[in-house]
Amino acid sequence: MKLSTKGRYAVTAMLDLALHTGKGPITLAEVSGRQHISLSYLEQLFARLRKANLVDSIRGPGGGYELKRPATQISIAEVVLAVNEPITATRCNGKGDCQSGDVCLSHQLWSELSDQIYQFLSGITLDHVIQRDFVQQVAERQNVRFREEDLIAFG
Amino acid sequence: MKLSTKGRYAVTAMLDLALHTGKGPITLAEVSGRQHISLSYLEQLFARLRKANLVDSIRGPGGGYELKRPATQISIAEVVLAVNEPITATRCNGKGDCQSGDVCLSHQLWSELSDQIYQFLSGITLDHVIQRDFVQQVAERQNVRFREEDLIAFG
DNA sequence: TCATACCCGAGTAATTTAGTCAACTTTAGA
DNA sequence: TCTAAAGTTGACTAAATTACTCGGGTATGA
């Protein structure tokens, strides 16, 4: 899981969209003006968001973007993942050249931790953030339980 | 909260230290060899970790680094924060030039979300990760429960 | 048909990441 | 006390990522 300003821009833009649903498509020019993100940069971000099926685009005059799914069904993790390149695998991954124990252990530990962060962000939707009591919502309303054996290591 | 490969390196190195406590100071050369991180880069990272009071340094032959506090008392959030520059404030922050509502709202929403991520990582210590049942530990400590069917595999 | 808005690719400056190099300080141990 | 092992510091740099610009496209509602 990777969290950079790029992901922040994407989440901010998606929040802007979520905050203005119901009024028809929203142009990137509007988002750019409201969130102070350059139009061209937004175009790049939304190209990825579109490919990830998170937004729909409507071309022509009166067009713009809107959320493909309701804000209750789009997680922060999805948005962040959509705009980021898949993180580069740890060096020893795949290759059999690090059976020395310590290396692989550290990598696996990080991997599991990273998975936890992802799971955490998967539990927070755009709507949770907008509703702003997502602290409580994540903790109680979702009532999601992790089990150790369900952990899946990833790069 | 910012999560990049830099933070991953730092956490990995700290996990390496935590895994080898009790055998005296650990040289960066050892960590470098085990974790495949360049010695000079480790020096830079540990300069920050030292300033953040997360490690002690012992100079001279037989010297090296050791955790300043037990692994049960060092959180992932601390480590990540120590090696990262404080995230650049959102553009409108401080300046009074964005009272237009929408802008500040999005920024505040992100800010609160970021705070949640920080809180989450604050609840996970180096020891939790090493013990590897930190899933359960964190879930119990934070009183967050997760459901199996919400697990989503990702790349 | 024309203005609006998305679409796309090339290029690029700024920043961050990751690493090199060289000189220095401290200190255990021969 | 000399020496080698280790941390300390700073300058420098290559590579990657971020953030952005520019210049064209294409679809489409009025």
Side-chain angles (χ1 to χ4, degrees):
Chain A
M1 207 60 204
K2 192 169 147 190
L3 276 182
S4 63
T5 52
K6 193 172 188 176
R8 191 185 76 196
Y9 279 137
V11 171
T12 301
M14 289 292 279
L15 286 174
D16 187 281
L17 243 60
L19 285 167
H20 296 87
T21 42
K23 304 168 197 167
I26 297 150
T27 69
L28 291 190
E30 291 176 66
V31 179
S32 172
R34 279 195 292 256
Q35 306 302 335
H36 297 134
I37 308 169
S38 96
L39 180 58
S40 301
Y41 196 42
L42 277 176
E43 282 174 353
Q44 288 175 43
L45 295 178
F46 274 79
R48 286 167 176 272
L49 294 172
R50 196 171 64 93
K51 276 175 196 156
N53 277 316
L54 295 177
V55 294
D56 265 333
S57 67
I58 296 95
R59 299 177 73 151
Y65 286 94
E66 41 192 36
L67 299 182
K68 188 142 194 165
R69 284 173 270 147
T72 53
Q73 288 169 40
I74 298 179
S75 75
I76 302 299
E78 282 179 287
V79 176
V80 170
L81 230 59
V83 297
N84 283 330
E85 299 298 331
I87 58 172
T88 55
T90 48
R91 288 178 214 201
C92 71
N93 243 351
K95 306 173 188 175
D97 60 356
C98 88
Q99 276 84 353
S100 54
D102 278 340
V103 188
C104 279
L105 181 55
S106 279
H107 285 175
Q108 189 176 350
L109 291 179
W110 171 262
S111 184
E112 291 174 17
L113 173 61
S114 182
D115 198 41
Q116 285 308 299
I117 298 168
Y118 174 79
Q119 297 297 341
F120 176 69
L121 292 180
S122 289
I124 304 177
T125 67
L126 293 177
D127 190 63
H128 285 151
V129 180
I130 289 174
Q131 297 305 325
R132 298 176 84 181
D133 50 354
F134 61 89
V135 183
Q136 201 178 2
Q137 297 188 30
V138 170
E140 291 173 12
R141 184 161 111 177
Q142 277 214 330
N143 227 21
V144 184
R145 164 181 287 172
F146 273 134
R147 291 225 194 117
E148 205 176 341
E149 56 266 32
D150 290 317
L151 286 175
I152 303 158
F154 73 102
Chain B
M1 207 60 205
K2 192 170 147 191
L3 274 184
S4 63
T5 52
K6 193 174 188 175
R8 191 185 76 194
Y9 279 138
V11 171
T12 301
M14 289 292 279
L15 286 174
D16 187 282
L17 243 60
L19 285 167
H20 295 88
T21 43
K23 303 168 197 166
I26 296 149
T27 69
L28 292 190
E30 291 176 65
V31 178
S32 172
R34 278 195 293 256
Q35 306 302 333
H36 298 134
I37 308 170
S38 95
L39 181 57
S40 300
Y41 195 43
L42 278 176
E43 283 172 354
Q44 288 176 43
L45 295 178
F46 274 79
R48 286 167 177 272
L49 293 172
R50 197 170 65 93
K51 277 175 193 156
N53 277 315
L54 295 177
V55 295
D56 265 334
S57 66
I58 295 97
R59 299 178 73 152
Y65 286 93
E66 42 193 34
L67 299 182
K68 188 143 191 165
R69 284 174 270 146
T72 53
Q73 288 169 41
I74 298 178
S75 74
I76 302 299
E78 282 180 285
V79 177
V80 170
L81 230 61
V83 298
N84 283 331
E85 299 298 332
I87 57 170
T88 55
T90 49
R91 288 178 214 202
C92 71
N93 242 351
K95 307 172 186 175
D97 62 355
C98 88
Q99 275 84 355
S100 54
D102 279 339
V103 188
C104 278
L105 180 54
S106 279
H107 285 175
Q108 189 177 350
L109 291 179
W110 171 263
S111 180
E112 291 173 18
L113 173 60
S114 182
D115 201 45
Q116 285 307 303
I117 299 169
Y118 175 79
Q119 295 296 336
F120 176 69
L121 292 180
S122 289
I124 304 177
T125 67
L126 294 177
D127 190 62
H128 285 153
V129 180
I130 290 174
Q131 297 304 324
R132 300 177 82 181
D133 51 353
F134 62 90
V135 183
Q136 199 178 4
Q137 297 187 33
V138 170
E140 281 174 17
R141 170 183 294 204
Q142 298 189 339
N143 233 7
V144 180
R145 308 226 159 208
F146 298 89
R147 210 182 310 139
E148 238 176 299
E149 57 262 32
D150 287 312
L151 286 173
I152 303 158
F154 73 101

